[in-house]
């Protein structure tokens, strides 16, 4: 039997794991500032959660879910995204009773049986946020502002663009679909195979197809969704755009953005980059005012988005954005020379860890040279050295690993250290 990971799945090893967690905490820190709290939802749900939530005609439900029958005869699917599961949980736990507005965020692995390529995996991580209970365009604006701040704090705002659109309500969209079908049917043969099928199942998706042929056919459509928007949808969009301008959030209105999930109403948006090839969306979302009810809950407007963590990490790497590179500067190596110094080194390491520092030590008695090599390898910025000499005089030596400078200090000074910053004051 071949023991290998599944095609399109990925292991994440150190230091990538550290980068992943840093990216996550940088993002969730912003979410918390906007009053969002965490929810965890199962990776496996009844398949109906997704077919009802995302829509039967979506690519995800039709082609991309990992679905199987359990021993008990239930059809279940691995989550392809977070929104449907969060809505299910929102309803099942009656969260709508607890407060008029509920703000939730989640993170974790999602699964889609897509063709793997750079930036597209079959298992990938998302961090998402969902706001329930407000129909106000200011809620859309807040959600987008939160996404934009998360992107900005990652140092990526110069490398991405925010594009948005309104796709109106289902009725408005139906009228638009009809016009699209009428316009595109005579040109059906020029569309890619996928879009030829979409013409009857999901014609809106033809607008965001990336193949050259479809782009050409759709480039001269003489109308847009905006021609079909109701007064109410138009006002919603105008108020959102006004608010984004007030907040100085740079956006571009793009009527081609339709999104691949059925639950959206009115606002839809994407954050894209030109640095990741065709898998250019690092985050996406929109408003979904009908989904809670469609899934059996009370009428509850909602708006949210999800960020693709691997794509964000790829973008950080490609753009050389170092803000969130692993916290190696936090590492201190405690080096001991000789058996007697080992016990003292263990205590020092323990004390420094309690002060919040990341500390590396050597378990065995190894030479100074070998321990120095290790300190360099782990990326330590300081080494605390306890040798026989230091032990006799109740001292420790501190070495700045970058400059090579070394000085001795009384051992009790370590106890007074407030944190990593204090090392910098010493050397
Ligand atoms: P989505 O556009 O399907 O939306 O996914 C959101 C983000 O997840 C994408 O922009 C992308 O960064 C990442 N992503 C999607 N598929 C893959 C893949 N195969 N490999 C790597 N990254 C991927 C949703 O999932 C909605 N639930 C967003 C939402 C939340 N709308 C409202 N609330």
């Amino acid at each position: 039997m071949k023991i290998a990971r599944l095609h399109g799945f990925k292991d994440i090893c150190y230091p990538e794991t550290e980068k992943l967690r840093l990216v996550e905490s940088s993002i969730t820190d912003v979410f918390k500032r906007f009053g969002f709290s965490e929810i965890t939802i199962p990776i496996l749900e009844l398949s109906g959660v997704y077919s009802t939530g995302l829509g039967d005609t979506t690519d995800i439900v039709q082609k991309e879910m990992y679905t199987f029958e359990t021993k008990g005869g239930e059809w279940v699917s691995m989550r392809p995204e977070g929104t449907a599961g969060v809505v299910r949980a929102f309803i099942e736990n009656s969260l709508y009773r607890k407060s008029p507005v509920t703000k939730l965020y989640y993170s974790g692995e999602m699964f889609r049986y897509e063709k793997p390529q750079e930036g597209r995996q079959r298992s990938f991580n998302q961090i998402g946020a969902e706001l329930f209970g407000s129909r106000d365009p200011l809620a859309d604006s807040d959600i987008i502002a939160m996404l934009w701040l998360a992107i900005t704090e990652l140092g990526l705002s110069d490398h991405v663009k925010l594009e948005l659109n309104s796709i109106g309500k289902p009725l408005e969209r139906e009228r638009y679909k009809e016009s699209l079908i009428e316009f595109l049917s005579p040109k059906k043969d020029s569309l890619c195979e996928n879009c030829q099928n979409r013409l009857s199942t999901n014609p809106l998706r033809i607008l965001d197809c990336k193949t050259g042929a479809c782009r050409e056919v759709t480039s001269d459509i003489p109308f847009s969704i905006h021609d079909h928007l109701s007064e109410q949808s138009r006002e919603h969009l105008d108020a959102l755009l006004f608010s984004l301008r007030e907040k100085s959030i740079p956006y571009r209105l793009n009527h081609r953005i339709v999104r691949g999930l059925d639950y959206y109403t009115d606002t839809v948006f994407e954050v894209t980059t030109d640095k990741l090839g065709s898998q250019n969306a690092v985050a996406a979302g929109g408003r979904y005012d009908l989904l809670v009810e469609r899934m059996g809950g009370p009428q509850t407007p909602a708006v949210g988005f999800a960020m693709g963590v691997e794509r964000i990490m790829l973008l950080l790497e490609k753009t050389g954005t170092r803000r969130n590179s692993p916290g190696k500067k936090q590492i201190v190596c405690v080096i001991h020379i000789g058996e007697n110094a080992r016990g003292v080194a263990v205590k020092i390491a323990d004390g420094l860890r309690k002060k919040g520092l990341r500390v590396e030590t050597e378990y065995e008695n190894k030479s100074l040279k070998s321990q120095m090599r290790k300190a360099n390898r782990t990326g330590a910025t300081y080494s605390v050295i306890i040798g026989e000499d230091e032990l006799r005089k109740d001292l420790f030596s501190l070495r700045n690993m970058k400059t090579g400078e070394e000085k001795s200090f009384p051992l009790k000074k370590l106890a007074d250290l407030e944190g990593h910053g204090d090392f910098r004051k010493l050397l």
Side-chain angles (χ1 to χ4, degrees):
M1 190 172 84
K2 188 174 146 204
I3 304 292
R5 63 173 182 265
L6 292 169
H7 185 44
F9 283 55
K10 214 175 162 188
D11 301 311
I12 306 178
C13 306
Y14 180 83
E16 291 305 305
T17 37
E18 193 129 319
K19 286 188 197 164
L20 173 81
R21 298 300 169 218
L22 275 164
V23 165
E24 273 179 2
S25 65
S26 168
I27 294 170
T28 54
D29 182 65
V30 173
F31 290 5
K32 286 177 196 159
R33 275 181 262 157
F34 277 75
F36 282 69
S37 40
E38 188 175 8
I39 182 165
T40 71
I41 47 163
I43 286 176
L44 205 59
E45 296 269 4
L46 288 171
S47 301
V49 169
Y50 302 115
S51 52
T52 308
L54 277 52
D56 278 331
T57 59
T58 54
D59 283 353
I60 295 184
V61 171
Q62 285 202 337
K63 299 187 265 188
E64 295 167 4
M65 290 210 295
Y66 284 84
T67 297
F68 56 92
E69 194 178 3
T70 64
K71 289 180 184 138
E74 285 171 324
W75 282 96
V76 293
S77 301
M78 312 269 282
R79 63 181 180 203
E81 59 101 62
T83 311
V86 170
V87 170
R88 200 258 321 124
F90 174 78
I91 299 167
E92 212 163 342
N93 296 288
S94 306
L95 298 185
Y96 48 88
R97 291 221 175 91
K98 300 199 169 128
S99 77
V101 172
T102 308
K103 300 181 191 177
L104 303 171
Y105 77 82
Y106 53 91
S107 62
E109 225 174 344
M110 310 290 159
F111 304 86
R112 294 184 192 176
Y113 197 83
E114 293 185 88
K115 196 158 176 238
Q117 61 181 83
E118 190 184 43
R120 186 163 75 194
Q121 295 159 220
R122 289 182 173 170
S123 100
F124 58 96
N125 286 274
Q126 276 188 349
I127 303 183
E130 316 290 352
L131 184 156
F132 295 95
S134 175
R135 204 176 296 282
D136 201 296
L138 282 184
D140 310 38
S141 158
D142 234 15
I143 272 279
I144 293 174
M146 180 167 94
L147 171 57
W148 194 250
L149 185 62
I151 295 274
T152 304
E153 294 204 354
L154 286 166
L156 290 176
S157 53
D158 288 341
H159 304 292
V160 297
K161 56 182 194 285
L162 165 71
E163 295 187 299
L164 53 87
N165 191 20
S166 170
I167 54 167
K169 311 266 188 310
L171 252 178
E172 299 153 38
R173 213 149 54 228
E174 269 324 304
R175 286 202 296 270
Y176 181 50
K177 278 185 193 168
E178 280 163 23
S179 316
L180 269 183
I181 294 170
E182 203 178 303
F183 180 84
L184 292 173
S185 291
K187 303 170 199 281
K188 187 173 174 182
D189 293 344
S190 313
L191 297 172
C192 75
E193 207 185 311
N194 215 350
C195 286
Q196 293 192 10
N197 293 330
R198 283 173 171 159
L199 197 54
S200 52
T201 55
N202 206 347
L204 284 184
R205 282 315 301 276
I206 301 175
L207 292 175
D208 69 0
C209 179
K210 302 213 166 70
T211 56
C214 297
R215 287 255 137 191
E216 212 180 304
V217 175
T218 53
S219 63
D220 47 40
I221 298 177
F223 51 87
S224 86
I225 179 82
H226 294 222
D227 299 316
H228 294 80
L229 290 185
S230 66
E231 191 67 26
Q232 200 191 25
S233 291
R234 206 185 296 266
E235 277 172 12
H236 189 96
L237 177 64
D238 287 345
L240 167 61
L241 299 184
F242 178 77
S243 168
L244 292 178
R245 284 194 297 273
E246 291 272 285
K247 291 176 181 166
S248 304
I249 295 173
Y251 66 82
R252 195 172 84 90
L253 203 56
N254 178 355
H255 66 83
R256 275 182 182 269
I257 293 184
V258 290
R259 309 280 299 123
L261 302 154
D262 263 8
Y263 48 60
Y264 293 111
T265 48
D266 289 324
T267 313
V268 285
F269 53 90
E270 284 179 1
V271 174
T272 55
T273 174
D274 56 11
K275 303 202 164 54
L276 297 184
S278 62
Q279 301 311 306
N280 62 354
V282 295
R287 176 166 278 285
Y288 48 98
D289 287 349
L290 307 174
L291 182 60
V292 178
E293 208 182 352
R294 187 160 91 204
M295 290 185 69
Q299 247 188 17
T300 311
V303 55
F305 65 82
M307 306 170 79
V309 179
E310 283 80 2
R311 288 192 193 168
I312 284 173
M313 286 171 61
L314 212 54
L315 188 58
L316 285 168
E317 201 181 298
K318 292 215 169 179
T319 54
T321 308
R322 303 202 61 82
R323 250 175 113 154
N324 280 278
S325 58
K328 283 192 173 169
K329 57 182 184 302
Q330 307 290 340
I331 303 174
V332 175
C333 236
V334 179
I335 293 173
H336 65 273
I337 303 147
E339 181 58 27
N340 291 341
R342 186 154 72 150
V344 178
V346 168
K347 274 197 202 138
I348 290 173
D350 218 38
L352 292 177
R353 287 187 184 121
K354 284 181 184 150
K355 286 177 189 292
L357 300 182
R358 181 174 149 192
V359 182
E360 290 287 339
T361 53
E362 186 59 70
Y363 298 122
E364 293 162 39
N365 287 321
K366 290 208 170 151
S367 69
L368 175 65
K369 205 168 146 194
S370 139
Q371 293 188 65
M372 277 295 181
R373 259 202 313 268
K374 176 176 170 174
N376 279 322
R377 209 173 45 241
T378 51
T381 39
Y382 287 97
S383 284
V384 170
I385 305 163
I386 311 288
E388 300 288 342
D389 208 30
E390 282 87 357
L391 209 57
R392 240 189 342 265
K393 297 178 185 157
D394 261 347
L395 297 175
F396 71 96
S397 296
L398 184 69
R399 185 182 176 90
N400 182 322
M401 299 301 289
K402 211 164 157 198
T403 62
E405 203 183 338
E406 199 174 304
K407 261 192 201 166
S408 293
F409 301 95
L411 261 180
K412 65 174 175 37
K413 217 175 176 81
L414 276 178
D416 301 336
L417 279 178
E418 286 291 329
H420 197 268
D422 280 5
F423 276 126
R424 269 179 237 134
K425 283 185 207 146
L426 295 177
L427 261 188

